[in-house]
Amino acid sequence: MQTESAASKLPIVLTCASCGTRNRVDLARHNHRPKCARCAAPFALDRPQPVGDADFQPVIDGASVPVVVDFHADWCGPCRAMAPILQDFAASRAGRVLVLKLDTEASPATAARFGIQGIPTLIAFRGGREHRRHVGMADARILA
């Protein structure tokens, strides 16, 4: 029989953007503003988290919640236009959905592995597997 605290844990593994250390973070406690165990940099789980080739698969495999990944590039106008919509989605689903951003130019291996040919591309994962995909601009209706 699980205790209530064990049942409410939603573990994920994130890499600290400041020092590169992988951290186990409990999404159920996102309101407590978790910090990196090594450098104490905060994880802002109410906004998209950056990932790259090196940490993409551990994050996806270790997520206990659905994950939405925005495959984008800094130069992409539609990607930049969609950023506030994705930000709002991440904020409204904080603790229930993990939103990630992967720069396809900085992480070409992961982009190639998923056959990303147009950006922005959003892929939803459940249980470490691709569940749904959308290519092109997405509004709040599509993200819901």
Side-chain angles (χ1 to χ4, degrees):
M1 183 168 165
Q2 279 187 328
T3 65
E4 184 178 331
S5 63
S8 66
K9 290 189 179 207
L10 298 171
I12 58 170
V13 176
L14 292 176
T15 301
C16 176
S18 296
C19 71
T21 301
R22 286 194 181 152
N23 290 260
R24 182 172 297 282
V25 178
D26 183 2
L27 274 182
R29 297 176 47 91
H30 75 278
N31 288 334
H32 294 115
R33 293 289 192 196
K35 296 179 180 172
C36 175
R38 184 174 187 197
C39 73
F43 287 102
L45 299 173
D46 60 345
R47 60 187 65 155
Q49 299 295 302
V51 292
D53 284 340
D55 60 344
F56 180 84
Q57 202 58 51
V59 172
I60 297 296
D61 289 344
S64 55
V65 296
V67 178
V68 174
V69 182
D70 174 24
F71 290 84
H72 73 99
D74 289 339
W75 54 262
C76 170
C79 299
R80 287 194 310 268
M82 198 173 72
I85 297 165
L86 203 57
Q87 167 69 36
D88 290 346
F89 178 78
S92 69
R93 304 286 194 299
R96 296 177 289 150
V97 174
L98 177 62
V99 180
L100 305 175
K101 290 185 75 73
L102 183 128
D103 184 332
T104 57
E105 290 195 335
S107 302
T110 302
R113 186 171 135 224
F114 286 94
I116 304 301
Q117 295 182 357
I119 53 174
T121 293
L122 297 173
I123 300 179
F125 292 87
R126 287 193 181 173
R129 295 181 165 221
E130 183 175 335
H131 175 71
R132 211 167 113 197
R133 180 181 292 231
H134 176 82
V135 179
M137 283 284 296
D139 59 17
R141 186 177 34 97
I142 291 170
L143 287 169

